Amino acid sequence: MWSADEIAELCYLHYRTRLPKQGKPDPNREWTSLAAVVKVESATQKEVLASPGNLQVMKEVVAMGTGTKCIGQSKMRKTGDILNDSHAEIVAKRSFQRYLLHQMWLAASHQQCSIFIPGTETGKWKLKPSIVFVFFCSHTPCGDASIIPISEPENQLSKLVTGDDAAGQSAECRSNRDHLGPEDKRKSEKMASNHIIKRMKTGDDGYFSVITEDLAFQQVSAKREEDTNPKNCECSGEMQTANKKTGLGRPKVVDVYRTGAKCVPGELGDARVPGLGYHCVGLLRVKPGRGDRTCSMSCSDKLARWNVLGCQGALLMHFLQYPLYLSAIIVGKCPYSQEAMQRAIIERCQHISFLPDGFLTQKVKLLQSDLRFEHSRQAIQEARTNSKTKLVPCSAAISWSAVPEQPLDVTSDGFRQGTTKKGIGSHQSRSKICKVELFHTFQKLVTNISQEDLPDTLRMKTLETYWDYKEAALNYQEAWKVLRSQALLGWVKNAKEYLHFT
């Protein structure tokens, strides 16, 4: 039907041809990450009978996002008009929700071009059976999926870490093993290994870059922490298996790629000892900020959540008979581990039970493409080997949705690019994918549908705030409660005060 390279190529072509120069990195000094949702539509049974042997799968990018930044907790707003998390994966997912809202409006208006068809319950819809959605990201998602083994040959050109550089610390948390479920305890194993690696201080946001032979970079926070706890670290099965093989077998694993994402407060922490024991795997993490701690969970954690709850969110669940799941997640050419992806996105939530009807612990396909994103950190670094200019992440994020009105949105620091301090709070400063804008689009959808055609959860209800509407999606909230209590125990939730806007 389709290959990982075909999906990657389609996304890269869309990025080059459909996104403007505004918001893209300056390739002389900047890099970014890319993510997208691709609609894959196969032929219907009717089309198969009408034209046997002449059928093609239709692939279309329906949402896209770029970005690498997150706002700190102090910049969060109670009006829902700022983007808290502008990592590419999250921008793409929110752009996808905007596309879904438009498709739901088409369905409710009885237009056949919608991706949705009527469900069996009043006011409920379901995805056409010929359609699936594939998620693409140019780099391994931050957090647990990015803790990838580094084998010995990759370090042959490396140098020993100096005393100052060895201060790379990535977590501000103490261990609390009591919070772990039996699944996490079962996976836990003691391990220790020395590492040889070369680090270079970038000066960007107080981070060090870890450099290996293939120029794969991962950020490591340079903030020094005293409360390390090396005794509770876990080592992945891939690392253990690899280290049992010597000689002509698989190369010995000597280190891991770092993630800048920090362990959630109050949960088991990273050991931060040199080598394989630096990180603990399978943990929930929050994204790093510029000195100010963020409340945004890592992309690995969010993908794990979507894999159980779906990508539609609580609001759209009012109108859907079943959650909308991704059928595959494809990663572009970069440091990658199938085991780390499997662990981070699927295995951490596989054991949960008693989900409401329709919700599943998905076994999403995980694939990697051999095609690299042209504006990735690695690609830009290789193209400018002789440059002395500091390489920095692009400050802008681009959102694109397959909708007829204003499909494009370029933001910086959570607001529309070009917003002045005076302009913050104005309608013009808002991204089309911020909470309040998506909420208002949802409310317009509800008001355009007659009371008798609304689903039970919205009929004759006095719902006012964003919080009210989210909480009224009872099956979604029940599924989220089960998932949090059984698998994602330390998830950092936004305080209610940030959700009580209208």
Side-chain angles (χ1 to χ4, degrees):
M1 280 177 62
W2 49 265
S3 69
D5 282 356
E6 283 173 346
I7 297 292
E9 199 166 17
L10 183 70
C11 294
Y12 296 156
L13 179 65
H14 192 93
Y15 173 81
R16 284 195 298 270
T17 59
R18 301 293 294 275
L19 267 55
K21 192 174 179 182
Q22 183 196 3
K24 287 181 179 176
D26 172 355
N28 293 315
R29 61 183 195 89
E30 293 178 324
W31 59 275
T32 195
S33 291
L34 174 74
V37 180
V38 177
K39 180 182 77 169
V40 179
E41 188 165 9
S42 54
T44 62
Q45 197 171 8
K46 188 178 177 181
E47 288 168 331
V48 170
L49 293 170
S51 180
N54 188 30
L55 298 168
Q56 284 189 328
V57 171
M58 300 293 290
K59 301 185 292 291
E60 178 193 0
V61 176
V62 295
M64 182 166 276
T66 72
T68 63
K69 300 287 186 180
C70 245
I71 65 160
Q73 192 171 358
S74 63
K75 287 189 176 179
M76 288 172 66
R77 289 167 60 85
K78 296 174 184 178
T79 43
D81 59 357
I82 190 169
L83 280 179
N84 296 337
D85 188 341
S86 293
H87 278 218
E89 293 92 331
I90 313 311
V91 175
K93 187 254 194 178
R94 298 186 73 81
S95 304
F96 181 49
Q97 287 176 325
R98 190 178 174 213
Y99 162 79
L100 293 176
L101 281 163
H102 174 66
Q103 291 295 318
M104 190 59 72
W105 181 83
L106 290 176
S109 308
H110 306 289
Q111 299 190 37
Q112 287 189 343
C113 55
S114 174
I115 62 171
F116 296 114
I117 55 174
T120 55
E121 299 170 39
T122 303
K124 295 277 191 175
W125 302 84
K126 59 185 180 182
L127 189 65
K128 285 179 180 175
S130 57
I131 295 174
V132 296
F133 291 104
V134 174
F135 193 82
F136 174 79
C137 45
S138 62
H139 200 280
T140 309
C142 68
D144 197 50
S146 285
I147 303 171
I148 299 168
I150 299 174
S151 57
E152 211 160 30
E154 293 179 70
N155 285 277
Q156 284 172 356
L157 302 181
S158 301
K159 297 176 184 177
L160 286 168
V161 185
T162 66
D164 290 339
D165 285 357
Q169 310 288 348
S170 75
E172 288 181 17
C173 51
R174 295 176 176 85
S175 300
N176 186 350
R177 199 163 179 77
D178 295 337
H179 283 264
L180 292 180
E183 184 75 3
D184 291 318
K185 288 180 180 175
R186 184 183 62 75
K187 287 195 292 182
S188 185
E189 275 197 36
K190 288 183 181 179
M191 47 65 60
S193 174
N194 293 325
H195 83 316
I196 301 171
I197 200 157
K198 173 183 170 186
R199 286 190 191 145
M200 175 183 75
K201 189 170 183 180
T202 66
D204 174 39
D205 297 348
Y207 287 95
F208 288 108
S209 291
V210 176
I211 308 172
T212 58
E213 190 179 301
D214 64 355
L215 290 174
F217 288 69
Q218 288 294 316
Q219 290 182 325
V220 181
S221 170
K223 189 173 180 182
R224 194 182 290 270
E225 298 294 338
E226 300 304 321
D227 57 339
T228 62
N229 191 348
K231 68 174 184 264
N232 284 332
C233 199
E234 299 174 25
C235 170
S236 78
E238 187 173 336
M239 300 170 203
Q240 295 168 20
T241 305
N243 280 345
K244 286 176 186 173
K245 299 186 179 182
T246 54
L248 297 174
R250 189 170 172 177
K252 184 182 177 184
V253 173
V254 293
D255 204 350
V256 290
Y257 286 99
R258 310 286 196 260
T259 177
K262 303 174 181 183
C263 300
V264 294
E267 294 293 295
L268 179 70
D270 285 323
R272 291 172 288 184
V273 296
L276 287 177
Y278 189 89
H279 282 308
C280 296
V281 299
L283 305 184
L284 289 173
R285 297 172 181 273
V286 290
K287 288 167 180 165
R290 285 196 163 194
D292 185 14
R293 179 179 274 280
T294 79
C295 289
S296 298
M297 300 300 292
S298 75
C299 289
S300 292
D301 298 333
K302 290 185 177 183
L303 280 161
R305 176 183 171 172
W306 306 342
N307 199 43
V308 177
L309 302 184
C311 284
Q312 73 293 321
L315 296 183
L316 268 163
M317 202 62 221
H318 283 287
F319 288 105
L320 290 173
Q321 192 155 334
Y322 308 108
L324 216 154
Y325 292 114
L326 299 168
S327 67
I329 297 169
I330 296 169
V331 177
K333 187 178 180 182
C334 65
Y336 178 88
S337 160
Q338 187 71 15
E339 191 217 21
M341 286 285 287
Q342 188 89 13
R343 176 190 70 228
I345 295 168
I346 301 173
E347 289 175 2
R348 290 192 290 175
C349 304
Q350 225 171 12
H351 63 283
I352 66 172
S353 52
F354 305 113
L355 284 166
D357 286 347
F359 289 88
L360 306 163
T361 49
Q362 284 280 102
K363 286 196 174 178
V364 63
K365 283 182 192 168
L366 302 172
L367 303 165
Q368 188 183 25
S369 165
D370 284 327
L371 304 178
R372 188 159 64 181
F373 177 45
E374 63 189 271
H375 287 155
S376 70
R377 189 170 186 171
Q378 293 84 1
I380 298 292
Q381 182 68 30
E382 284 186 14
R384 58 190 290 286
T385 47
N386 297 322
S387 174
K388 291 181 181 178
T389 314
K390 186 175 78 169
L391 186 62
V392 296
C394 181
S395 61
I398 306 173
S399 157
W400 182 92
S401 302
V403 296
E405 291 179 28
Q406 292 182 267
L408 199 70
D409 205 41
V410 182
T411 56
S412 184
D413 290 321
F415 293 109
R416 293 278 289 276
Q417 198 172 49
T419 299
T420 61
K421 279 189 179 180
K422 209 174 181 179
I424 289 174
S426 68
H427 188 78
Q428 290 76 19
S429 70
R430 294 177 188 168
S431 162
K432 288 291 180 187
I433 58 168
C434 69
K435 284 187 180 74
V436 73
E437 283 291 312
L438 290 178
F439 179 44
H440 288 171
T441 305
F442 173 80
Q443 285 179 307
K444 282 177 193 170
L445 173 65
V446 173
T447 54
N448 281 339
I449 300 170
S450 60
Q451 278 291 320
E452 61 269 21
D453 290 333
L454 283 172
D456 286 344
T457 51
L458 293 174
R459 203 178 307 147
M460 307 302 289
K461 297 284 196 300
T462 52
L463 304 171
E464 292 180 16
T465 66
Y466 179 70
W467 168 265
D468 293 339
Y469 277 93
K470 279 172 70 79
E471 287 298 298
L474 300 177
N475 60 345
Y476 182 90
Q477 294 302 341
E478 177 59 27
W480 182 209
K481 186 180 174 183
V482 168
L483 179 58
R484 271 201 327 275
S485 64
Q486 294 184 33
L488 307 178
L489 280 76
W491 192 279
V492 177
K493 287 186 76 179
N494 286 336
K496 289 180 187 178
E497 63 200 75
Y498 292 106
L499 305 171
H500 277 297
F501 52 85
T502 54

